[in-house]
Amino acid sequence: MKLNIQNETSRLRAVILGTAESIGAMPSLDQAYDPKSILHIKAGTYPIESDMQKEMDAVAEVLERYDVKVYRPEVIKDYNQIFSRDIAFVIEDKFIKANILPDREREYDAIQHVLNTIDKDNIITLPEECHVEGGDVMPWNDYIFVGTYSGDDYPDYITARTNMDAVIALQELFPHKTVKSFELRKSNTDAKENALHLDCCFQPIGSDKAILHKNGFLNEKEYNWLLNFFGKENVFEITKEEMYNMNSNVFSIAEDVVISERNFTRLNTWLREHGITVEEVPYAEIAKQEGLLRCSTLPLIRD
């Protein structure tokens, strides 16, 4: 397979979609990786497997309708494999393994059948000190946008997934691109004050538009840089509640086609007003784990 990812929105041809099959029992509080999951575990509203399977099947149906080749992980019994974006990402023709939480290493092993189709020289494993997850990495033509956290208290945050070592490593891997990092707001306890990944508060849409949430960024100058880069008139600013519900975590099949959650009324209206076809799917149950459509897709080939 010849990989090709230059940006977030060019026409999609091949993708790894996670699976909700056999995710196992509801995690205990000390097994949860993010504050939103913790909230739902405590409330007794944590999503059930059958509901999440239906949601992922709806996405698979949309992708297949657009003639996208859909790969799925091999199912590991009693193991959460929904969020395929966390475990790896593609930039240009390089497949880069994420350095993820150690408990999740088996998720990567479950896509070995896909890796077997890729030239081994194009599969990159970053040095051990480079912490990175795919939700923090966004190729955007001449840029690579990266969400990070560089505070001295980085080790205290289970929600801090990408460090500056990874930013430097990506710049060395792609010297012809500009790697631009953004400090994200982190919280282990308050999901409305936590940008788990960059795609929880920002995502490019179309050829020149973006979804943004100001409070997701620790540094207002970095937020303003994005606002100026895309132009205020091209930016859809989401509220704290919309950020909590993952409105920025939609997924582009093409510049003019976006898969979005059916309850994102304000966003979906805006997208349609800007000439974008919105394929609405139910995804509110999966969202309870602080991840949505971009989190559960790992694009391999775009035009």
Side-chain angles (χ1 to χ4, degrees), residues 172-190:
E172 290 171 351
L173 265 177
F174 302 98
H176 52 290
K177 290 186 182 285
T178 300
V179 179
K180 176 81 176 160
S181 64
F182 301 89
E183 291 276 333
L184 302 181
R185 190 175 302 282
K186 300 293 179 181
S187 172
N188 287 341
T189 56
D190 186 349

Side-chain angles (χ1 to χ4, degrees), residues 42-284:
K42 286 179 175 176
T45 52
Y46 194 79
I48 61 171
E49 184 177 305
S50 59
D51 289 341
M52 293 192 288
Q53 278 186 302
K54 285 176 194 164
E55 291 183 343
M56 299 203 84
D57 288 347
V59 174
E61 187 274 322
V62 172
L63 292 167
E64 284 157 5
R65 188 152 36 87
Y66 280 88
D67 297 321
V68 176
K69 171 69 176 170
V70 179
Y71 296 92
R72 308 298 290 269
E74 289 181 7
V75 175
I76 302 170
K77 190 173 185 308
D78 297 334
Y79 200 68
N80 190 330
Q81 297 173 268
I82 291 172
F83 298 123
S84 57
R85 182 81 63 152
D86 289 353
I87 63 175
F89 51 94
V90 176
I91 300 175
E92 296 181 344
D93 62 350
K94 300 290 186 283
F95 188 95
I96 301 164
K97 181 186 178 187
N99 282 352
I100 52 173
L101 299 164
D103 291 355
R104 300 181 61 185
E105 189 70 28
R106 290 166 67 203
E107 286 182 68
Y108 188 79
D109 298 337
I111 58 167
Q112 189 59 50
H113 59 290
V114 181
L115 300 177
N116 290 341
T117 70
I118 300 168
D119 183 338
K120 284 185 174 60
D121 291 340
N122 286 335
I123 299 175
I124 309 288
T125 300
L126 297 176
E128 194 176 328
E129 68 272 12
C130 300
H131 298 177
V132 62
E133 289 187 351
D136 275 325
V137 181
M138 290 191 184
W140 191 246
N141 306 314
D142 294 333
Y143 286 87
I144 302 171
F145 299 138
V146 184
T148 187
Y149 184 75
S150 64
D152 291 340
D153 54 353
Y154 178 96
D156 299 335
Y157 285 108
I158 196 167
T159 54
R161 303 292 174 81
T162 299
N163 63 12
M164 289 305 293
D165 287 320
V167 174
I168 294 163
L170 287 171
Q171 186 64 80
E172 290 171 351
L173 265 177
F174 302 98
H176 52 290
K177 290 186 182 285
T178 300
V179 179
K180 176 81 176 160
S181 64
F182 301 89
E183 291 276 333
L184 302 181
R185 190 175 302 282
K186 300 293 179 181
S187 172
N188 287 341
T189 56
D190 186 349
K192 293 187 180 181
E193 293 290 334
N194 178 52
L196 187 64
H197 292 126
L198 182 59
D199 60 17
C200 295
C201 58
F202 160 64
Q203 188 169 180
I205 297 290
S207 61
D208 60 355
K209 295 174 179 57
I211 304 167
L212 263 179
H213 177 62
K214 185 176 183 178
N215 193 55
F217 297 85
L218 271 181
N219 187 329
E220 192 170 335
K221 282 184 182 173
E222 292 176 354
Y223 159 82
N224 285 331
W225 188 93
L226 280 170
L227 197 63
N228 293 330
F229 181 84
F230 287 94
K232 196 169 185 179
E233 69 283 0
N234 291 323
V235 168
F236 183 81
E237 184 77 42
I238 57 176
T239 65
K240 185 175 283 195
E241 192 67 27
E242 287 170 330
M243 192 278 289
Y244 172 76
N245 289 320
M246 309 294 295
N247 276 232
S248 62
N249 207 273
V250 296
F251 183 62
S252 293
I253 294 179
E255 287 186 354
D256 58 351
V257 183
V258 169
I259 308 179
S260 180
E261 216 287 329
R262 63 187 178 188
N263 294 307
F264 295 172
T265 310
R266 199 172 74 90
L267 170 65
N268 295 345
T269 300
W270 182 85
L271 291 170
R272 290 182 175 116
E273 285 171 352
H274 287 82
I276 293 170
T277 298
V278 180
E279 295 285 353
E280 294 189 0
V281 295
Y283 231 62

